[in-house]
Amino acid sequence: MQPSGKYIVAGVDGSETSLGAARWAASFARALGLPVHLVHSSPAPGPMPDAACTPAELAEKQREYQTELLTTAEASLRQWAPEVELKLVADTESPAKGLVEAAAQGAMIVLGATGAGSVERWLLGSTALRVANNAHCPVAIWRGDPDNAALDNRPIVVGTDGSPASEAATDLAFEWAQLLSVTVVPLRTWTDSSVVGAAMPTAMQLLGPTGLMVDWEAIARAEAETLSKIIAPYLKQYPDAVVQPLSRRGSAARELLHALDDAQMAIVGSRGWGRFRGALLGSTSQNLLHRADRPIVIYRTTDT
């Protein structure tokens, strides 16, 4: 099921990376016909006994800082995408909580992969991952050149394995690919242990060492056919989408990264709401977030 939403949230923190992410968000908003909410959230200063300012004065300085930060980002986006409607949102919650709350009716949250004065892995361990773990809409972690943040004609890659977690991601990838007139690349991966274990769980007991003789070409054909069956409903739902299915032998994270070499973004599904809402993203999602050099979109679905 594709997400619904009334706007796109772009988190800004004053860094060039967050500005690039906001520009990418504006490019998407223009294509989707949605406004962009520029959001900055940071806690108000606490009591400072040695400071010359009173708590009220500190709070006012915080508001001035947020206003300047947001208006600077707004001015940049007005030049980048003048036709996109913008709304400025300042909050005093933690960055992650403020962004998630701001996206209560959002279609997507977009964040830069680094923050002002932050080490990349530290940020992904705090704000970005917390947002991805709690948002009710897709979350895009953006990487790229802030001055060249436009969408382009390269494909959209999506991890597609037939699981409930990947269904919404696959639907979203087909929808966006058709809307943007780009190719969608549904990627299914498989490993030696998974296919052999599923096909011949008792082969060694029954056949001895000969049970290890595997027709890998036949398995590759079978896996490709499985992928064809998985994406068949999407081909009917999105008849104008250009599709290039890929079935590859290897780990999901590695093969998605390889496919990204020729793509503009990747979309992956991840479970985590409901009973396990606090659970972290899976290893594939985290690997991509830390290692990809272009946008990764995480779409979480409800645990059953």
Side-chain angles (χ1 to χ4, degrees):
M1 179 183 298
Q2 69 187 53
S4 59
K6 298 180 179 179
Y7 50 84
I8 292 176
V9 166
V12 292
D13 63 4
S15 67
E16 283 299 310
T17 301
S18 75
L19 182 58
R23 288 170 176 164
W24 187 83
S27 296
F28 238 113
R30 178 168 48 201
L32 296 175
L34 295 175
V36 171
H37 290 192
L38 291 173
V39 178
H40 175 78
S41 187
S42 56
M48 301 175 66
D50 297 329
C53 299
T54 67
E57 290 171 333
L58 287 173
E60 179 60 27
K61 288 182 179 295
Q62 169 81 349
R63 286 191 290 271
E64 291 174 356
Y65 165 75
Q66 291 181 322
T67 298
E68 181 179 1
L69 187 153
L70 287 167
T71 54
T72 299
E74 178 189 25
S76 177
L77 260 66
R78 294 284 182 207
Q79 294 182 335
W80 177 264
E83 68 277 33
V84 174
E85 178 185 345
L86 299 177
K87 178 181 178 180
L88 308 186
V89 179
D91 202 338
T92 55
E93 298 285 359
S94 68
K97 185 176 181 181
L99 286 162
V100 170
E101 290 181 351
Q105 295 183 300
M108 178 167 60
I109 300 173
V110 181
L111 297 172
T114 58
S118 299
V119 176
E120 181 176 61
R121 290 186 180 274
W122 178 87
L123 179 92
L124 285 174
S126 57
T127 301
L129 283 183
R130 287 178 185 174
V131 171
N133 276 320
N134 290 279
H136 287 269
C137 61
V139 176
I141 308 300
W142 183 87
R143 276 192 181 86
D145 179 359
D147 295 322
N148 186 26
L151 299 172
D152 56 46
N153 60 1
R154 289 176 296 171
I156 296 174
V157 175
V158 59
T160 306
D161 61 11
S163 68
S166 78
E167 289 177 355
T170 303
D171 184 63
L172 185 67
F174 271 79
E175 178 195 356
W176 284 358
Q178 181 169 283
L179 176 70
L180 301 175
S181 299
V182 300
T183 299
V184 59
V185 180
L187 173 63
R188 173 180 166 83
T189 64
W190 48 277
T191 61
D192 299 358
S193 58
S194 64
V195 297
V196 173
M200 298 182 298
T202 59
M204 283 297 291
Q205 292 91 327
L206 295 175
L207 304 176
T210 59
L212 293 176
M213 298 177 63
V214 179
D215 186 343
W216 293 111
E217 291 186 2
I219 288 177
R221 288 193 298 269
E223 291 294 320
E225 182 159 343
T226 297
L227 176 58
S228 296
K229 292 177 180 177
I230 291 172
I231 66 173
Y234 304 102
L235 297 176
K236 292 181 180 179
Q237 185 177 354
Y238 300 98
D240 296 328
V242 179
V243 185
Q244 182 185 335
L246 285 180
S247 176
R248 287 184 171 175
R249 179 181 175 186
S251 72
R254 186 189 73 185
E255 297 307 322
L256 281 165
L257 286 168
H258 285 169
L260 263 177
D261 288 341
D262 302 310
Q264 62 176 310
M265 76 181 82
I267 304 175
V268 292
S270 183
R271 294 182 300 168
W273 297 348
R275 293 175 300 156
F276 303 104
R277 185 181 178 91
L280 292 176
L281 296 175
S283 60
T284 297
S285 299
Q286 293 205 51
N287 267 324
L288 290 173
L289 290 181
H290 285 298
R291 297 170 60 192
D293 60 359
R294 59 207 65 186
I296 302 295
V297 180
I298 307 294
Y299 193 7
R300 289 167 70 80
T301 55
T302 304
D303 287 312
T304 56

